[in-house]
Amino acid sequence: MKYRADIDGLRALAVLPVLFYHAGVPGFPGGFVGVDIFFVISGYLICGMIDGDIRDGSFSLARFYKRRILRILPALFLMFLVTSALAYLYCLPVELEDYSKSLASAAGSVSNVYFAATAGYFDAPAETEPLLHTWSLGVEEQFYLIVPLLMLLAWRVAPKRAGLLFAAAAALSFAAAFAISYRNTTFVFYLTPFRAWELALGALLSIKFIPAPRTEFSKNLCGGIGMLLVLGAIFLGSSSAPLLLMTSLASIGATLIIASSERGTSAVGKWLSLRPVVFVGLISYSLYLWHWPLIVFQRTGGLLAGSSGALTKLTLIAVSIGIAWLSWKFVEMPFRSKARDTSAGVVFGIASTAMTSVAALCGLALMASGAPFRFPERVVAIASYLAYDPSLTFRSGHCYLATNRQQLDVQTCMKLDVKRPNYLLVGDSHAAHLWFGLSSAMPEVNLMQATASACRPAVERTSLLDSRACPRLMQFVFNDFLVNHRVDKILLAASWKDEDIPGLSDTLETLVSRGLDVVVLGPIVEYDGALPRLLADEILRDSPSIASAMRTPGIAKRDRVLRRTVTAKGATYLSVYDSVCRDGRCDEFAEGDIPLQFDAGHLTAEGSVEVGRRLAPFFGGKLARADDVSN
């Protein structure tokens, strides 16, 4: 295909927002859509190249895969090498085991499948996964594996309808993504079948199924609309917006931008062809590879100690660009130049050896249980809670619905007891983590449980397509169970956010008007990182204030606002925050070296027992009203 500088410029428009978004630079709330722009570019270039070679009879699968290997793997495996060294230095045993699994999957081009399968609610947060960004490479590599075979088949079976077949595949992919987004957004985000339509947009443009504008006016209009869509998604978007809306804006915008310069460069194409913009586009692959591990290890290991937040971000961006240029200049370009002179057999052999070696090293790390000998015993003991499994104390799969596929076990979780007071605990995981402690501290009470992941205790309006567990559960609790059964108290608990307060207020009005005795349990202290990791860092860095400095701001203030809101509605408020935090200090251990919380906010079993013991006195006799409970 003919080289187009504007496409390299579009790569810059894709990678810079991703870099700024990940680095935490303000003003790029939708910067993550840069990945979608990359998908469209890849679909356009790869399918255009294959289409051209098939048409002139020069296409070779061996040559195609050889070029893809030389284009992708050298820089990727260099990043693997450096990142693995940093992981050995900084990652705690549990983290090194997780890293090894992600490394093996990334080397095998299936990291998107790995992260989709392991992206549970209680798994390590994204900012602690050095290879999380390789999920998009997994999507592209799987696309590279399948699409040449599909194109060969299409051109041999139905050459005149190849474009129509690809359009049908794109429509099917988008429809599947739309349907599954109501049930599992994680799969829609990570898995190739639900991302294929983005790559197909570029492919349909390259094989001329999507027509390109011809006149100057139409070219500039096309490019202008495309740029507005892309910039709108980047600067006005949000990670809380519907995923398909964000990906559609970016993908359609990128397609329009590319199309605008198909028949001569448009005004937008000329701007994207400026040398500084093209330069960033040329190093975009290496920049994408290197920026995320540097950001992760800065957050978890403090690569740049002693610098301010703004200076740290600027330094990380500058270092990422510098390393990307070195990688492009001395790794990418030399290997790409060897595409003609190196046989496919040699390339495949070296690539297979490298992948096998990576898999073997990952296996050794797993066999060594993450090499705990690197750290003091107390650090290893505390860090082991990073792999804590709360399913037993949360009663996952029965009384706590962790996925949309699970159903509440009504006979186990909501069975009334004629001999004891019946309390019903309703809410999200921050309600589920209280059940074990409250039920242990109050054996005289039958504490029932109806909880689900990310589920605020309020009735939501749902559509027929909505198969999420939370709306179904809340509809059952509020409009069925509580209408037909009498409970002594209903306990509402959640990881409350400011935006939840209006909905909570409406729910309280409804419940109190029914004559129900309602208790709202407020939010607990949370951290901008997993508490066991922060506690381990305190020991390793001899800095006892790391955890306290990483408390999520605003929770104490929200706790007070919730108290006023709840009591004004005639319900009772209990401050979980005050049970843990006093005089500016929050308890971090439940007992000994057992952390109170196993991640950024959820209680361990011992932590739940301790918090339950502190809250239980307020349930004795007639439950104290909020204004009778000390702050």
Side-chain angles (χ1 to χ4, degrees), residues 348-563:
F348 296 155
I350 294 174
S352 299
T353 301
M355 294 169 68
T356 303
S357 300
V358 168
L361 289 173
C362 293
L364 288 175
L366 293 172
M367 290 174 62
S369 302
F373 53 81
R374 296 171 297 138
F375 300 101
E377 288 185 10
R378 185 171 180 235
V379 169
V380 173
I382 293 171
S384 67
Y385 282 86
L386 290 169
Y388 184 83
D389 182 3
S391 57
L392 183 62
T393 55
F394 280 45
R395 302 200 288 179
S396 294
H398 303 285
C399 308
Y400 170 69
L401 309 183
T403 71
N404 292 322
R405 297 182 296 275
Q406 296 174 344
Q407 299 286 334
L408 185 75
D409 184 348
V410 178
Q411 291 300 314
T412 299
C413 310
M414 301 184 71
K415 185 177 181 180
L416 294 165
D417 190 330
V418 297
K419 297 182 179 179
R420 294 184 294 169
N422 293 290
Y423 293 2
L424 174 59
L425 177 64
V426 183
D428 61 11
S429 58
H430 281 243
H433 76 171
L434 291 171
W435 180 87
F436 184 73
L438 289 174
S439 60
S440 299
M442 300 188 297
E444 71 281 4
V445 170
N446 175 38
L447 185 59
M448 300 178 289
Q449 179 186 354
T451 55
S453 175
C455 191
R456 303 296 188 265
V459 178
E460 294 184 34
R461 292 184 178 181
T462 61
S463 70
L464 294 176
L465 290 174
D466 197 340
S467 58
R468 292 175 297 157
C470 177
R472 294 198 313 269
L473 179 63
M474 293 301 105
Q475 289 281 352
F476 168 72
V477 169
F478 291 114
N479 296 334
D480 186 342
F481 186 84
L482 289 177
V483 171
N484 297 301
H485 302 85
R486 184 70 183 177
V487 300
D488 295 283
K489 297 186 191 299
I490 178 168
L491 281 56
L492 308 181
S495 175
W496 303 106
K497 300 294 184 285
D498 292 339
E499 58 268 23
D500 298 324
I501 296 176
L504 173 62
S505 181
D506 293 341
T507 300
L508 291 175
E509 281 189 8
T510 301
L511 296 179
V512 171
S513 69
R514 295 181 189 175
L516 290 166
D517 189 351
V518 185
V519 182
V520 175
L521 295 118
I524 196 170
V525 60
E526 297 183 40
Y527 300 86
D528 293 340
L531 181 60
R533 173 79 220 199
L534 300 176
L535 297 175
D537 285 343
E538 288 184 347
I539 299 171
L540 293 171
R541 303 184 197 177
D542 193 24
S543 179
S545 62
I546 289 177
S548 60
M550 292 290 285
R551 287 182 209 150
T552 302
I555 294 180
K557 180 180 178 182
R558 187 179 306 128
D559 186 59
R560 295 191 293 270
V561 172
L562 280 165
R563 181 188 295 277

Side-chain angles (χ1 to χ4, degrees), residues 15 18-19 22 38 71-80 82-83 106 129-138 141 283-297 320 323-324 327-328 331-332:
V15 76
V18 172
L19 172 61
H22 285 160
F38 276 126
R71 173 73 176 92
I72 294 171
L73 294 194
L76 178 64
F77 274 72
L78 177 61
M79 184 272 289
F80 285 164
V82 176
T83 303
E129 298 279 4
L131 298 180
L132 181 70
H133 64 319
T134 62
W135 74 267
S136 63
L137 298 181
E141 288 161 355
I283 66 170
S284 60
Y285 174 59
S286 284
L287 183 55
Y288 183 79
L289 288 182
W290 286 99
H291 83 282
W292 180 247
L294 293 173
I295 290 171
V296 169
F297 285 114
S320 297
I323 294 176
S327 175
W328 171 74
V331 180
E332 284 191 64

Side-chain angles (χ1 to χ4, degrees), residues 177-260:
F178 179 79
I180 202 72
S181 64
Y182 283 94
R183 188 173 183 87
N184 196 323
T185 55
T186 299
F187 281 11
V188 174
F189 186 88
Y190 285 113
L191 298 184
T192 303
F194 309 116
R195 291 284 191 168
W197 64 271
E198 300 177 57
L199 293 130
L201 280 179
L204 290 169
L205 178 62
S206 69
I207 63 176
K208 298 180 174 50
F209 184 85
I210 297 176
R214 295 176 178 273
T215 67
E216 283 298 311
F217 175 79
S218 60
K219 287 191 294 184
N220 290 331
L221 180 63
C222 181
I225 293 174
M227 183 62 77
L228 286 175
L229 291 176
V230 168
L231 295 180
I234 292 170
F235 293 113
L236 302 177
S238 169
S239 57
S240 61
L243 177 62
L244 275 183
L245 173 63
M246 296 295 295
T247 57
S248 297
L249 290 173
S251 299
I252 294 171
T255 304
L256 291 174
I257 290 172
I258 297 173
S260 71

